[in-house]
């Protein structure tokens, strides 16, 4: 993501969770991804007895991260905006400092979340956890599942982005990537006019993205509409107060070859 976009997200981090649209999009994303996570967790547990290792790219303040964490062994949460990562770290600290009863109610103390502030462009980036903790400068860990929610429309070079994700997976590992669809000229209204800086594209074209995933080496690529989000578009010229528009969200799945 461009540095201008990072500055915007740093500025917005403190109030990010107060946006009802952000909260609703995250809730719907988790509801859609939860069955995938549960299935993969069961498969890995039955085959190896271990939990799922997850990488989330573009985690923001951790709204999705915190929902996924109780379902997996560990989730490494990466974001290039330090304001967002600081907000996630603050949430983890608060949960860790809760008393035992509160942690029990939350079902997780978030100790399995690893926040990383980084624009991830290299699967062997030293900011990622090492494969062998006793060799901190050695090869980096690979993941069973990579998640990314509402990130790709900010990424200038999606081919390079996908190549990085492919390199971060274990053989047979999967991606589950979500973003709103480019369904035509009105897709630009997903963001209000003053938030277009750092937006590289107004949604993701489904067929184009499917072909790109196959081109970089993903197998079993599947694209589907996961849910639809209704957003206010009253700030755009030609719309009136209270006007809304429905935005389809796509889920892109793919597998790294064995």
């Amino acid at each position: 993501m461009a540095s201008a976009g990072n500055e915007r997200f740093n500025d917005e981090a403190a109030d990010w969770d107060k946006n009802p649209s952000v909260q609703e999009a995250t809730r719907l994303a988790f509801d859609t991804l939860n069955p995938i996570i549960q299935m993969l967790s069961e498969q890995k547990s039955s085959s190896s007895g271990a939990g799922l290792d997850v990488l989330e790219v573009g985690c923001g303040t951790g709204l999705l991260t915190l929902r996924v964490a109780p379902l997996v062994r560990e989730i490494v949460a990466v974001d290039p905006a330090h304001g967002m990562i600081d907000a996630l770290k603050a949430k983890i600290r608060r949960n860790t400092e809760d008393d035992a009863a509160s942690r029990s109610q939350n079902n997780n103390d978030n100790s399995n979340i690893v926040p990383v502030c980084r624009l991830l462009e290299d699967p062997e980036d030293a900011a990622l956890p090492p494969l062998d903790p006793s060799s901190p400068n050695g090869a980096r860990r690979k993941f069973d599942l990579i998640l990314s929610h509402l990130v790709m429309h900010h990424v200038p070079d999606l081919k390079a982005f996908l190549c990085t994700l492919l390199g971060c997976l274990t053989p047979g590992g999967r991606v589950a990537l979500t973003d709103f669809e480019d369904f035509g000229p009105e897709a630009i209204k997903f963001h209000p006019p003053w938030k277009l800086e750092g937006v590289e594209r107004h949604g993701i074209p489904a067929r184009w993205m499917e072909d790109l995933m196959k081109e970089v080496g993903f197998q079993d690529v599947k694209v589907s509409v996961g849910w639809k989000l209704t957003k206010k578009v009253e700030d755009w010229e030609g719309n009136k107060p209270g006007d809304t528009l429905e935005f389809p969200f796509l889920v892109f799945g793919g597998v790294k070859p064995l």
Side-chain angles (χ1 to χ4, degrees), residues 6 14-15 21 23 32 38 61 65 67 74 85 90 92 96 111-112 123 126 137 143 161 176 180 191 197 219 226 237:
N6 288 344
D15 295 323
S21 181
Q23 291 281 358
T32 302
Q38 296 277 15
T61 64
T65 317
R67 288 172 165 87
E74 187 169 79
I85 289 294
I92 295 171
T96 302
S111 60
N112 66 334
N137 297 321
F143 299 88
F161 177 78
F180 70 102
H191 301 88
E197 186 177 19
Q219 295 181 344
E237 185 178 354

Side-chain angles (χ1 to χ4, degrees), residues 207-257:
R207 182 60 184 271
W208 174 81
M209 184 66 172
E210 180 181 357
D211 291 343
L212 189 62
M213 291 180 70
K214 292 175 181 176
E215 180 184 339
V216 303
F218 283 100
Q219 295 181 344
D220 299 330
V221 175
K222 294 181 174 61
V223 181
S224 61
V225 176
W227 69 92
K228 295 181 180 181
L229 177 71
T230 301
K231 290 194 69 176
K232 291 182 179 179
V233 294
E234 58 191 22
D235 296 310
W236 281 92
E237 185 178 354
N239 289 104
K240 60 184 183 297
D243 278 357
T244 62
L245 188 62
E246 194 173 63
F247 293 87
F249 269 69
L250 299 173
V251 181
F252 299 91
V255 180
K256 181 173 182 173

Side-chain angles (χ1 to χ4, degrees), residues 131-168:
L131 177 63
D132 181 356
S134 65
S135 301
N137 297 321
R140 312 328 282 174
R141 188 191 310 166
K142 305 306 174 188
F143 299 88
D144 305 304
L145 174 65
I146 297 177
L147 303 175
S148 182
H149 172 56
L150 272 174
V151 170
M152 294 186 294
H153 67 275
H154 290 290
V155 177
D157 187 344
L158 273 179
K159 184 175 182 179
F161 177 78
L162 291 171
C163 287
T164 298
L165 300 190
L166 190 68
C168 288

Side-chain angles (χ1 to χ4, degrees), residues 19-53:
N19 186 328
S21 181
V22 169
Q23 291 281 358
E24 180 67 358
T26 305
R27 182 188 69 80
L28 292 167
F30 178 71
D31 288 347
T32 302
L33 296 173
N34 186 23
I36 300 171
I37 297 168
Q38 296 277 15
M39 177 194 70
L40 295 176
S41 293
E42 291 170 6
Q43 288 177 352
K44 187 172 182 186
S45 178
S46 63
S47 64
S48 68
L52 208 63
D53 288 321

